[in-house]
Amino acid sequence: DTGVSQDPRHKITKRGQNVTFRCDPISEHNRLYWYRQTLGQGPEFLTYFQNEAQLEKSRLLSDRFSAERPKGSFSTLEIQRTEQGDSAMYLCASSFRTSGTVNEQFFGPGTRLTVL
Amino acid sequence: AQKITQTQPGMFVQEKEAVTLDCTYDTSDQSYGLFWYKQPSSGEMIFLIYQGSYDEQNATEGRYSLNFQKARKSANLVISASQLGDSAMYFCAMREGVISNFGNEKLTFGTGTRLTIIP
């Protein structure tokens, strides 16, 4: 049973460059979330997909950020014109909607972005 | 106002002792869920335990139990017989609103508690 995977695990880039991260959720999971975690903080919600539809975006997600989940499987998060304030851990999580109430989210290992 | 408050930035506990990690929450919804996640130094968030707002019994999962006091809006995590492998960051999180087929079940997290188990 493979969990949520993310690639790359680490990314160092220069300010102004574009970066793209990939998330592969657990295969049968129809819900996918992106969170951002800065040092000393808990994760903060960025965006949510149900299958291929992006149903909600946080106001934290500026227009430099775009996320896709083209076939309802893997997802990509792109940041254009990176800024030093974008340095953070980007976490992906997936879940499967059931008739129960828990529907816990399973998290990937994250992509740590450093913008120089 | 913070939706999830964890007031203990760090805790040191002797191995084999029990430890309680505090969490208080703020919501006006009647339906909500509370989660605890563990984040080791590797970075991956590991789900530990869940408590629904309508659950009458406190949740338990192995050595983990959740002390849910609804009137006080607190959901403290209790770890019994702590082990060295329990050393990690622990996050309390809340999902608000009624669960629906297309609803966003996003989590709001606290700032976490760093737990260190001393041999």
Side-chain angles (χ1 to χ4, degrees):
Chain A
D1 177 33
T2 55
V4 179
S5 61
Q6 292 187 246
D7 183 67
R9 295 291 308 275
H10 303 274
K11 179 70 177 178
I12 300 174
T13 190
K14 291 182 179 178
R15 187 165 47 108
Q17 297 293 306
N18 298 345
V19 294
T20 300
F21 310 141
R22 176 180 171 124
C23 170
D24 287 89
I26 294 172
S27 58
E28 65 270 23
H29 285 188
N30 56 353
R31 296 180 167 202
L32 188 145
Y33 301 80
W34 285 98
Y35 293 85
R36 180 172 67 188
Q37 185 178 21
T38 53
L39 207 58
Q41 301 296 318
E44 295 176 292
F45 167 76
L46 292 179
T47 190
Y48 156 62
F49 290 86
Q50 170 118 345
N51 300 312
E52 67 276 6
Q54 187 175 20
L55 296 186
E56 186 169 337
K57 295 194 293 184
S58 162
R59 57 183 170 77
L60 292 175
L61 214 66
S62 76
D63 55 7
R64 296 184 298 104
F65 288 71
S66 63
E68 293 183 340
R69 193 182 184 197
K71 297 181 181 178
S73 57
F74 72 92
S75 175
T76 57
L77 178 67
E78 180 183 16
I79 309 174
Q80 296 183 326
R81 305 181 304 281
T82 52
E83 301 173 355
Q84 288 183 325
D86 297 332
S87 295
M89 175 79 89
Y90 289 84
L91 293 164
C92 176
S94 69
S95 70
F96 183 71
R97 176 76 177 94
T98 69
S99 58
T101 59
V102 184
N103 297 338
E104 71 268 30
Q105 295 178 24
F106 293 82
F107 283 79
T111 294
R112 183 170 295 283
L113 173 66
T114 303
V115 181
L116 302 175
Chain B
Q2 291 287 333
K3 289 204 169 192
I4 297 287
T5 302
Q6 295 181 254
T7 57
Q8 306 153 310
M11 289 192 69
F12 291 85
V13 172
Q14 204 74 37
E15 189 180 7
K16 299 181 184 176
E17 289 186 353
V19 55
T20 298
L21 305 181
D22 295 341
C23 172
T24 57
Y25 59 92
D26 182 28
T27 181
S28 56
D29 286 343
Q30 295 300 311
S31 179
Y32 53 89
L34 297 158
F35 297 77
W36 276 92
Y37 280 84
K38 172 184 178 181
Q39 187 176 40
S41 54
S42 59
E44 188 167 342
M45 302 282 285
I46 302 167
F47 166 71
L48 296 178
I49 196 166
Y50 167 83
Q51 180 85 41
S53 59
Y54 295 116
D55 295 342
E56 295 184 351
Q57 304 270 357
N58 285 341
T60 60
E61 287 286 350
R63 293 188 299 113
Y64 305 108
S65 60
L66 203 150
N67 184 0
F68 181 47
Q69 298 188 43
K70 195 170 181 177
R72 292 187 174 185
K73 291 190 173 178
S74 77
N76 298 339
L77 177 70
V78 180
I79 306 173
S80 63
S82 56
Q83 302 172 356
L84 295 178
D86 294 334
S87 293
M89 284 290 292
Y90 288 80
F91 290 95
C92 179
M94 178 170 61
R95 177 189 65 211
E96 295 176 273
V98 176
I99 295 172
S100 67
N101 284 333
F102 292 96
N104 181 356
E105 297 181 2
K106 66 183 177 186
L107 299 175
T108 301
F109 287 84
T111 53
T113 296
R114 181 171 297 282
L115 176 64
T116 303
I117 306 300
I118 305 166

